[in-house]
Amino acid sequence: MVTQDLPAKQANSDSPDEPLAIAFGRPAAACKFALMPTQLLVESADPILLLSDTVRHVCAGTAARTMAQAIIHPIDTVKTRLQVTAPALKLQRWQQRIKDNPLDLYVANHRVVHTRNWLIRGPKDVYRGLTGAVLGTIPTAMLYFTTYEWCKTRLEARGAPSAITHLASASAGAVMSAFIRVPTDTIKHRVQAYMETDVFLGARHILASEGVRGLYQGLVPTLMRDVPEIAIQFALYEKLRKVVESRKGFAKLHTWEHLVLGGFSGACAATATMPLDFAKTTIQCGSSQPVRQVLKAAVQQHGPAGLFRGMTPRVCQTAIMSAMFFTLFEFWKAQLKPHHHRGTRDRLLEPKIWHKRRTHVWKRQFVQQ
């Protein structure tokens, strides 16, 4: 350690910055650090110290969004297949098989659960398009949270109310990120609906047959859906979180509390924007009609319920996605904090099993060699 190499009079200096300044070969007055001697270079060498709060939030949001997207992808696949109005032959067969082979749960010779067998073709089938989803989510989330934090910082500097700040920032992030998200969504949905065999081959086929414009089918309904959905989701979550925090008397919630608040916010947002999500998926899977005609045709064929096709998996998907995202977002924000800035409440966001596994790996790599 640094203090072992210092002369006694230097190690016993009254200035807490002097040993650290000597270690860097600079006078204590020029040293910008405010660390105690026992921390010294261990904390100052942490690369996380070089990151601003905005960069940490962008990184945390990107990691959280990508992980959550991978977790809920099977539900998104089921939702997409239920919403397609002109299914391919393979999708028609899948729809028929899940009806003919339901899953039943009996308790004391009484059927208590009757549902369709979504995994009729195995788990791998519902993960079709996952590669495109993940590859698209990373730049989409990066652009979204960069825009969100940029707008939030400037609106807060101008003294805008908290609700307006979050709504405007979330809406701006949704608009900007849509230009990356829509092409990847179009490819992903077509692979999920058996219209394309592979993400990369699907992209080449769409470009060859429809051009760049084909990749941006569904841009308008995407913006019409995402702006209010994300705005409702973020605003409601922030409001609920502050209410719970004020009632509990501290600023950090437990992981399960983030799960509940995030899930509830996502479910509300999904329900409010369901017709627009149906129109978006329909257009991205090949329909050439505008949004108004898609909605009108659905009502004519199936009544008002036609606008809510796939609602159950979508609400489940969005609730789980929101719960996982907001929990992982808070977790990664805590993980990206410098250690000496972490409070005792930050530990509430660290799952025990994660912490133990990480420590165990570190011990294997650095102690047992």
Side-chain angles (χ1 to χ4, degrees):
M1 297 296 293
V2 176
T3 52
Q4 293 176 350
D5 297 329
L6 296 174
K9 65 178 182 178
Q10 293 174 341
N12 296 327
S13 171
D14 293 332
S15 173
D17 289 336
E18 188 171 342
L20 182 60
I22 295 172
F24 279 91
R26 288 177 290 182
C31 185
K32 299 290 185 180
F33 297 89
L35 302 173
M36 296 302 291
T38 55
Q39 293 172 311
L40 294 175
L41 297 180
V42 176
E43 294 288 354
S44 62
D46 192 345
I48 292 177
L49 285 171
L50 302 176
L51 302 178
S52 66
D53 287 341
T54 299
V55 174
R56 292 190 193 107
H57 289 178
V58 170
C59 293
T62 302
R65 174 74 187 189
T66 304
M67 294 173 68
Q69 180 65 47
I71 292 171
I72 58 88
H73 187 79
I75 306 176
D76 181 63
T77 299
V78 172
K79 187 267 300 182
T80 298
R81 293 176 182 177
L82 292 177
Q83 290 181 329
V84 176
T85 55
L89 180 60
K90 192 173 182 179
L91 180 53
Q92 293 178 25
R93 292 173 179 171
W94 179 85
Q95 292 174 341
Q96 189 60 45
R97 288 186 65 187
I98 62 173
K99 293 179 182 178
D100 296 340
N101 298 275
L103 289 176
D104 297 325
L105 176 63
Y106 289 85
V107 176
N109 295 326
H110 293 284
R111 189 174 68 184
V112 295
V113 174
H114 177 76
T115 185
R116 297 176 181 179
N117 186 3
W118 309 112
L119 300 177
I120 192 70
R121 290 182 175 169
K124 185 178 179 180
D125 179 65
V126 292
Y127 276 98
R128 289 175 60 94
L130 178 61
T131 302
V134 173
L135 292 178
T137 298
I138 294 174
T140 298
M142 184 70 73
L143 181 57
Y144 173 84
F145 285 101
T146 300
T147 305
Y148 179 86
E149 292 294 334
W150 185 86
C151 292
K152 179 182 174 184
T153 301
R154 277 149 184 77
L155 289 173
E156 288 178 341
R158 295 182 179 182
S162 177
I164 299 298
T165 298
H166 287 291
L167 283 171
S169 300
S171 299
V175 171
M176 292 299 296
S177 61
F179 291 94
I180 297 178
R181 179 180 180 181
V182 171
T184 57
D185 264 2
T186 299
I187 300 169
K188 178 192 71 172
H189 286 323
R190 295 195 183 188
V191 173
Q192 289 173 323
Y194 301 114
M195 298 173 67
E196 302 289 349
T197 57
D198 177 77
V199 170
F200 302 105
L201 292 177
R204 292 171 57 185
H205 179 259
I206 294 173
L207 286 172
S209 60
E210 304 174 46
V212 177
R213 184 176 181 179
L215 293 175
Y216 280 92
Q217 285 190 357
L219 177 61
V220 173
T222 297
L223 293 175
M224 293 173 63
R225 182 202 67 172
D226 283 359
V227 171
E229 180 182 4
I230 296 178
I232 293 170
Q233 196 171 323
F234 261 89
L236 185 57
Y237 172 78
E238 288 292 329
K239 183 66 176 179
L240 292 174
R241 182 174 62 85
K242 289 182 179 180
V243 169
V244 175
E245 286 173 355
S246 63
R247 291 187 177 183
K248 299 192 69 161
F250 53 80
K252 293 290 183 181
L253 304 181
H254 290 82
T255 301
W256 70 266
E257 291 171 310
H258 287 288
L259 282 167
V260 172
L261 296 182
F264 179 77
S265 302
C268 291
T271 303
T273 58
M274 187 63 212
L276 294 171
D277 180 77
F278 167 76
K280 164 191 169 294
T281 304
T282 301
I283 292 174
Q284 288 182 321
C285 287
S287 175
S288 58
Q289 295 180 325
V291 175
R292 182 178 179 181
Q293 292 300 320
V294 170
L295 298 178
K296 184 177 179 180
V299 173
Q300 289 176 346
Q301 294 178 13
H302 306 284
L307 300 176
F308 294 88
R309 292 177 63 178
M311 180 171 178
T312 300
R314 171 162 164 73
V315 171
C316 292
Q317 167 198 349
T318 309
I320 296 173
M321 175 77 168
S322 300
M324 294 301 301
F325 165 74
F326 286 117
T327 303
L328 290 168
F329 182 58
E330 296 295 335
F331 170 79
W332 282 115
K333 281 202 303 183
Q335 292 300 305
L336 290 173
K337 280 184 180 180
H339 290 283
H340 64 281
H341 287 169
R342 295 186 188 181
T344 56
R345 291 293 178 182
D346 286 324
R347 298 176 184 175
L348 296 174
L349 296 169
E350 299 180 12
K352 270 191 174 181
I353 186 170
W354 188 313
H355 184 69
K356 286 185 178 180
R357 284 179 61 193
R358 187 182 65 180
T359 304
H360 189 56
V361 170
W362 286 354
K363 287 181 179 178
R364 280 187 183 177
Q365 289 179 338
F366 300 112
V367 178
Q368 297 182 2
Q369 284 185 348

